[in-house]
Amino acid sequence: MRISVIGTGYVGLVSGVCFAEKGHEVVCVDNNDLIVEKINSSISPIYEKGLDEMLSSNVGKKLSASTDLYKAIHESDISILAVGTPYNGDEIDLKFVRDATIQIGIALRDKDSYHTVIVKSTVIPGTTDDLVIPLLEEYSNKEAGADFGVGMNPEFLREGEAISDFMNPDRIVLGGIDERTHDNMAEIYSGFIGVDIILTNNKTAEMIKYTSNSLLATLISFSNEIGNLSASLGGIDALEVMNGVHLDKRISPILDDNKRLSPSIISYLEPGCGFGGSCFPKDVKALITHGKNNSQKMSLLSAVININDAQPYEIINRVKRHFENVNNLKIAILGLAFKPGTDDMRESPSIKIINNLLKGNAMINAYDPIAQDEAKKIFNNSNINYCNSVIESIDGTDIIILLTSWPEFQDVPKILKDNNLNPLVIDGRRMIQKNSVSRYEGIGI
Ligand code: UGA
């Protein structure tokens, strides 16, 4: 099929490239010349594992980029709206959705053949039906259902794993206004064999997306609350507690051969320094606001956010168990990004922790394999020294704080031993064994 993808952020670009890989003819549209130029030169404008390679093998064949939205709509059968929905502190800002929808509507006005518009941006339930459809009808002077189809197809892509999540989906959710829309949407996914497809309406599709992220965020805050309680009670390690919980056969089923299925959901059931990124904090908060606007108290999800907002300070509490203040202490921060595999610093717990330590006049050695350039945009402080390796960052420090579970940080105990170093190690992700270093503190202990 001929697909136009409107918006080449992380979701749009990954979707466009992957649909091209699946054999569709794709044009990615963005109003930023530089981004378009980069894509056409097979250079990914964002860091995402495997994206450069996949761009190289598709650009000039099945994939191109353009700033010309009008032409792209006329030369495609189906458009995927994947513009950003930034969070403005209270709710998501639909400005880009609105602007792009108007432009699509204008293009559809002169298009004779039937076209399908799919919303992929994460939007609160009701947006596709109550905002996108009326705008498309107004600007195209046509009728949804009769002249064009409108669907909602949420994405479930984890940063750092986006290509593999797209190519191996666990579900495909297709919201749509009618059968024709569903059929067209199903056709672009026809190359995905054996995947569960949910055919539903637009509002339910939008709700599935928010509910999925809210559940995962809830699991994390739940684990953190249990972790904090375990730590304050003393004599309990929340990691052991959660291991005991994981073995409930409703969470980790026992298979016929008596082996255990160990689902990856259990990694969201571990205490740590809190969730971050561009999705969980924003999506949960936007759903809370939407719920409140619709007379729901949203008490559980509000608690999820409150727990998460406070969680980075658990790290500071661990520091305070050992030091009265951090004035002139040398502290290594290992990991800046909100999770491994990405350079994304958005809402990373490291921001609150580093700012707090800097306020106390600590000297920070920071190291992250890929997020340092992004971090430099956030911290402009001469008390931060960016290092090029674990060993460089930990040399001569009083405290090491592990904040992102990059695999290479698992070597910290060995590096300390080999170099005869004995700092306090605070494990914000419970990623090293607690008895592997002589002075250990972890979340949940
Ligand atoms: C999340 C969802 O996992 C995706 O399904 C969804 O499509 C995406 O948001 C989105 O809405 O676009 P992402 O934000 O990339 O993806 O990150 P995750 O890997 O889920 O991590 C989110 C947070 O959970 C991180 O702060 C991470 O530290 C924490 N986490 C992650 C855990 O505590 N345990 C894990 O096993 C994985």
Side-chain angles (χ1 to χ4, degrees), residues 10-11 48 122 154-162 165 170-171 209 212-213 216-217 219-220 224 264-281 283 308 337-340 342 344 346-349 403-405 429:
Y10 143 81
V11 172
E48 184 60 45
T122 298
E155 53 83 17
F156 302 102
L157 310 176
R158 288 164 303 163
E159 276 182 49
E161 300 294 335
D165 282 350
D170 43 16
R171 73 209 115 151
K209 165 70 188 188
S212 297
N213 277 0
L216 295 173
L219 295 184
I220 295 172
N224 285 337
S264 47
I265 191 86
I266 62 179
S267 59
Y268 289 82
L269 280 167
E270 275 161 15
C273 55
F275 60 77
S278 65
C279 304
F280 286 2
D283 290 354
N308 195 58
F338 83 99
K339 64 170 193 175
T342 174
D344 198 339
R346 285 176 289 179
E347 306 261 349
S348 175
L403 291 184
T404 316
S405 43
R429 295 289 176 192

Side-chain angles (χ1 to χ4, degrees), residues 292-353:
K292 286 186 176 165
N293 289 342
N294 286 278
S295 312
Q296 290 300 316
K297 280 196 187 136
M298 308 304 287
S299 338
L300 176 63
L301 291 183
S302 300
V304 166
I305 291 297
N306 291 341
I307 292 168
N308 195 58
D309 282 347
Q311 197 61 16
Y313 299 108
E314 282 298 312
I315 297 286
I316 305 297
N317 292 340
R318 296 302 180 282
V319 173
K320 285 186 183 154
R321 283 183 181 177
H322 298 260
F323 298 91
E324 218 168 275
N325 60 61
V326 294
N327 188 28
N328 279 328
L329 280 187
K330 231 175 144 190
I331 301 176
I333 299 285
L334 297 187
L336 299 164
F338 83 99
K339 64 170 193 175
T342 174
D343 63 352
D344 198 339
M345 286 294 297
R346 285 176 289 179
E347 306 261 349
S348 175
S350 71
I351 299 173
K352 280 184 181 162
I353 294 163

